[in-house]
Amino acid sequence: MATSQQQYVGVDLDKNGGAVTDAVVEAIQQDNPGVELVDFNIYVKVKAPQRMIIRRQLVEDILGRNWDLQELHMVMASYFGFIEEWDEEKLVIRWSADES
Amino acid sequence: MAKLNVSTRYKALTRDLMWDPKDVNIKEIYPLIEAEGIHIRDPKRWEDPFRMTFNQYVKIQSEKEHLHHAIRGAFEANHGHARIVDSRWFEGVKAFAVAVQPAEYAAHRLMAYIGRNIPIEAIRFATFNQAVDELRHAQIEIKHYAHMSRYYDGLHAYSKTNENLWFNTVPKSFFDDALTSGPFEALIAISFSFEYVFTNILFLPFASSAAAVGDEHFASVGKSVQSDESRHMALGMAALKMLLEEDDRNIPIVQRWLDKWFWRCYRVFAVISTLVDYYPRIRAISWKKAFEMYVEDQVLNGLFKDLFKYGIRPPRHFEDSMKEKEHYSHATMRILDHYKHANYFRGFRLQPDDYDWLSREYPNTFERYYAPFFRKMDDHVMAVASPGLPAVCAVCQIPCEYPNPDRPQESWTQYVEYNGKTHMLCSPGCRDIFLAEPEKYMQWWWPAESYLSGEFGSSLEDMFEYFGFTPEEANEHYSSRDYHRWIRYREELGLDKRFETV
Amino acid sequence: MTMQARNLQPIRQQPWDWATKNEYEEVTLREQPYIHGHYRNKYYKPDYDIYDPRYTRVRVRDWEAFRDPKKLWYQTYVMTRKKMADEVEALFERAGKLAIYERVDPAWRKFSLAFYTPLRHYEYAGAVQLQHVVRYAMGCPIEQAATYTAFDKQGRAQWLSTWALEFAGGEGLQALQHARQLWLEDESYDKLRSYMEHVLVTDDWVEVLVALHLAIEPILDRLAYEQLNAISIEHGDPVLAELALICSEQVQWQENWTASLFQLIATDPTTSRWDYLKSLGYEDWPGDYRWGRTLSNPKSTPEETLTNQEIMSQWASKWISRAIQAVTPLQSLLDRHGISCAVEPVMERAMASYILPTLEKCGIDVKISV
Ligand SMILES: [Fe+2]
Ligand SMILES: [Fe+2]
């Protein structure tokens, strides 16, 4: 087993989400180090090592309109990692293997 | 008023609604709570990260419904079915129809069972939502097949097919297994093993392939269904973590369930591997790559590293599934071709571009072990048909025709003696599941024995009557009446064939 | 570009071999498999199949024959409920902006928090036991309606909670806490709470539907969501009255579909619980080859000796009597807060306008003992 590999967290976003998907991708890239994108036809996989944050304010700034984190339900097809926090302001996904 | 934050408000709406009964015994309300040996101490700590309320649910979901049914309406009105790149895709959609759709419906009844019997309010609210979601999935999918059934074979008696056909015992026995388990096992089986570990591979590649071949409706089915899955995955993850953290005595029990349900899920996905690698003429990804991306990277290298601290190791037969990834779709397609004369979705003659793609994606296995079989079928589509009834695995119910991935010339079939009878299993994974609960698996409905016992009458015609389709609806696609119908529909719409077919 | 499209001739007009008249039927009929379940339950009733007619005592010739009068399937369900959710949210928003809560008569404020907030427990318990119905009922047509009814109840439990949080202002959480205490300890709730506890241990899924929809709900929901509306407005509280109006739209639907189900069951003279197999096209099916071999034979379970009407009459008598006993003590709560509303005439009206006519259509006699 390749257990020495990096642990990634991430989300699969629907590319039909248009400006919202683009803004979420950009916000993730701005806020998180080491972000990788994998294009998958109708989805884009956005992954980052160990931890990922999506902030409402930043998405809103990029999008140029009010944006509620609940709208993520419409474009987030899947995710991997533990959802550590999800409130009005942010979504945090992470693995916690190295804590212990 | 002082505005409560999302989390406090969510808790206020969804917690402390049940109470300890005063006039009846709580064990009468929850008769199954101690049956499985699970210990729960303070489940109030557990949280559903999605915090979905009734109002949010109906608002978000009605928007999704709106978007999806608009696409469906356009597709139906414009005869999108005639516009896809190759009609053999529909054989895959048919497989999906009778394999996955009844599973959605079973999941609906199952989530109600779990929510009713596990007295943890946060879990319960998420399971109630999911119970309704699964009915949504069943119905969204049905709408697609209802439209297709007006133009193509194989689906018009899908419920009967689901009840009686040998192929359908595969997904049906899977959900029947979960439905007859205790509520905690069912939760780990479906919410965690199925939803978290495997649904990605069910809907993401298949929806992508649907878009690639031009089936806009099915792409939307896949995407719209998948958009609910994040919530189901979150439930599975949280439930797993909760069971592991509540009490150490739960850990070995959970490990046993992970071992069982990992392999059970993996095997029920056998047909999905052919839907990824074979049925779409334009593929989004190979099974091998999809398995590496969704299961190896995200689950083995992601999740199971995190679970290590609880003393949880990767599921027992994980390595077998990794070894099998270069064989899985080919061996499964070979099985489907062996029995295509008695199945409602057809096999098909591989085209030159299929050989190219399969050889390129599977350089170590396809040409060497499988291409000769398919070439034999190219010469005569029934050359590879197996006479008689398949001997199927007593656990997963797939015909026992998988090669041992370590020595692909040899069979992987295992034999177990139990209760004075020899039972056949397709693989060591299924054998171990059988051995852990032989009294359960010896109950299984064995199609061959049922057919031979005369349950379905004495003639082949009687049997097809119970299958819910006729022999003309079976066999090979490019020589079938469905293919010729599709060509005719296209001609009537003034469309040219895009692919040459030999 | 797709002008000729309508010339394509379909190979069949009906999608399925069984007739369907509309979208609702297309996505509802024959969803549940009826035969060849693989295993029996590991713990609960281990001799029963996954979908087994023995989960209820009543017998029905064709379980697939039931139709929801509103023909709700997922799409139409969430669309109609989205409208209600929007209305409820707009209602609370307007109430806040217009500061309506501040002008509500103090006696009514106290009473309504003490009466409506505990009902979240009542609604929720009903939702929980309906999940039992969803799992064990026969056929998708029936369990689908139960699914949406359970979801509605859960929604009403949340609407009542939201209302209490808003109405009580900064003391919202305490209001919920206090209401829970009333539900558990106040004498006026004692019988109602006990009633719901007994619903939660009722095993026969048809009996659960009788207990909820032919007994307690027609009485209590009329009081809570209809009778008190005018009184609420008189006390300067239009918000609760409007909320109740939306709730009663759901409640009317749950009464309608259950009434037609009760009628279907009560008027069915079928004496064998296995007759429904014929309606599915399995008239020549000799039975599962495993019966009597690897599995016990379900047909060796003795048939019921009572008719459906007799069984339902027992259930209705038992639960209606208890429902009256459960709602009667709520009078003391009204009196305590100086709200002039008599519970007994409400119960009589519920009996006269809904329960008795429904029983009559079913041909059921009841003996009410209070
Ligand atoms: Fe689903
Ligand atoms: Fe197997």
Side-chain angles (χ1 to χ4, degrees), chain C residues 97-340:
Chain C
K97 282 185 183 156
L98 299 173
I100 290 175
Y101 300 128
E102 289 160 31
R103 271 172 243 129
V104 171
D105 175 65
W108 175 262
R109 162 184 292 272
K110 274 200 166 152
F111 164 75
S112 58
L113 280 170
F115 177 69
Y116 284 95
T117 323
L119 293 187
R120 63 202 285 268
H121 303 288
Y122 150 77
E123 293 286 15
Y124 187 77
V128 169
Q129 196 59 1
L130 278 179
Q131 304 292 321
H132 177 83
V133 176
V134 171
R135 167 61 189 87
Y136 295 107
M138 279 297 258
C140 181
I142 298 171
E143 67 77 19
Q144 173 171 236
T147 299
Y148 303 145
T149 303
F151 210 67
D152 278 352
K153 281 183 204 289
Q154 183 166 260
R156 292 201 293 280
Q158 291 187 11
W159 288 346
L160 292 172
S161 312
T162 310
W163 164 81
L165 289 175
E166 304 264 331
F167 194 42
E171 279 118 51
L173 295 175
Q174 293 93 305
L176 297 185
Q177 208 43 50
H178 178 63
R180 184 179 164 86
Q181 226 162 349
L182 288 175
W183 176 254
L184 288 173
E185 282 152 30
D186 197 282
E187 267 194 15
S188 28
Y189 283 107
D190 205 41
K191 290 268 169 41
L192 179 59
R193 191 204 74 258
S194 177
Y195 187 101
M196 296 315 288
E197 288 174 7
H198 285 94
V199 169
L200 283 164
V201 297
T202 300
D203 212 34
D204 187 306
W205 62 270
V206 178
E207 186 179 356
V208 172
L209 292 174
V210 169
L212 289 174
H213 300 286
L214 194 54
I216 191 72
E217 286 169 358
I219 297 173
L220 183 55
D221 293 357
R222 269 179 181 66
L223 175 65
Y225 301 132
E226 281 178 41
Q227 192 60 35
L228 285 167
N229 288 359
I231 302 172
S232 172
I233 292 170
E234 276 166 30
H235 288 85
D237 185 355
V239 179
L240 196 50
E242 281 195 53
L243 178 64
L245 218 53
I246 300 168
C247 292
S248 73
E249 200 183 321
Q250 296 181 336
V251 165
Q252 264 162 32
W253 169 68
Q254 76 190 20
E255 269 179 16
N256 288 346
W257 78 258
T258 47
S260 50
L261 176 66
F262 296 145
Q263 211 176 322
L264 179 140
I265 294 171
T267 56
D268 193 321
T270 304
T271 51
S272 166
R273 60 163 71 91
W274 302 103
D275 265 15
Y276 73 95
L277 286 168
K278 294 181 196 151
S279 71
L280 299 168
Y282 290 129
E283 52 272 29
D284 300 325
W285 185 57
D288 191 308
Y289 81 94
R290 295 168 299 175
W291 291 352
R293 287 167 63 187
T294 45
L295 302 177
S296 62
N297 188 345
K299 293 201 173 181
S300 58
T301 304
E303 294 278 3
E304 279 292 327
T305 48
L306 300 184
T307 65
N308 285 356
Q309 276 164 333
E310 286 164 337
I311 295 168
M312 290 186 69
S313 156
Q314 286 179 355
W315 289 337
S317 302
K318 167 175 144 192
W319 290 102
I320 293 168
S321 305
R322 285 193 192 176
I324 291 170
Q325 289 164 5
V327 176
T328 306
L330 291 172
Q331 184 67 55
S332 72
L333 195 79
L334 287 151
D335 296 344
R336 216 187 301 162
H337 291 90
I339 302 298
S340 63

Side-chain angles (χ1 to χ4, degrees), chain B residues 104 134 137 195 225 229 232:
Chain B
E104 305 277 16
E134 300 297 356
H137 301 172
E195 300 282 352
V225 166
E229 301 297 347
H232 304 173

Side-chain angles (χ1 to χ4, degrees), chain B residues 12 16 19 22-23 59 101 105 108-109 116 128 139 149-150 158 163 172 437 443 449 455, chain C residues 11-12 15 31 34 36 40 42 74 89 120 129 134 137 143-144 154 180 184 197 282 293:
Chain B
D16 290 331
W19 64 96
K22 294 166 102 174
D23 295 335
K59 285 200 271 182
Q101 190 281 338
Y105 182 75
H108 155 62
R109 308 285 291 259
R116 170 61 187 78
F128 281 9
Q139 295 187 327
S149 184
R150 291 182 166 96
Y158 72 97
E163 275 160 348
K172 190 158 177 281
E437 285 174 287
Q443 296 179 4
E449 198 154 329
E455 206 191 301
Chain C
I11 55 172
R12 59 178 66 78
E31 282 294 279
Y34 284 88
H36 295 139
R40 298 254 169 104
K42 195 158 175 174
Y74 187 88
E89 286 184 1
R120 63 202 285 268
Q129 196 59 1
V134 171
E143 67 77 19
Q144 173 171 236
Q154 183 166 260
R180 184 179 164 86
L184 288 173
E197 288 174 7
Y282 290 129
R293 287 167 63 187

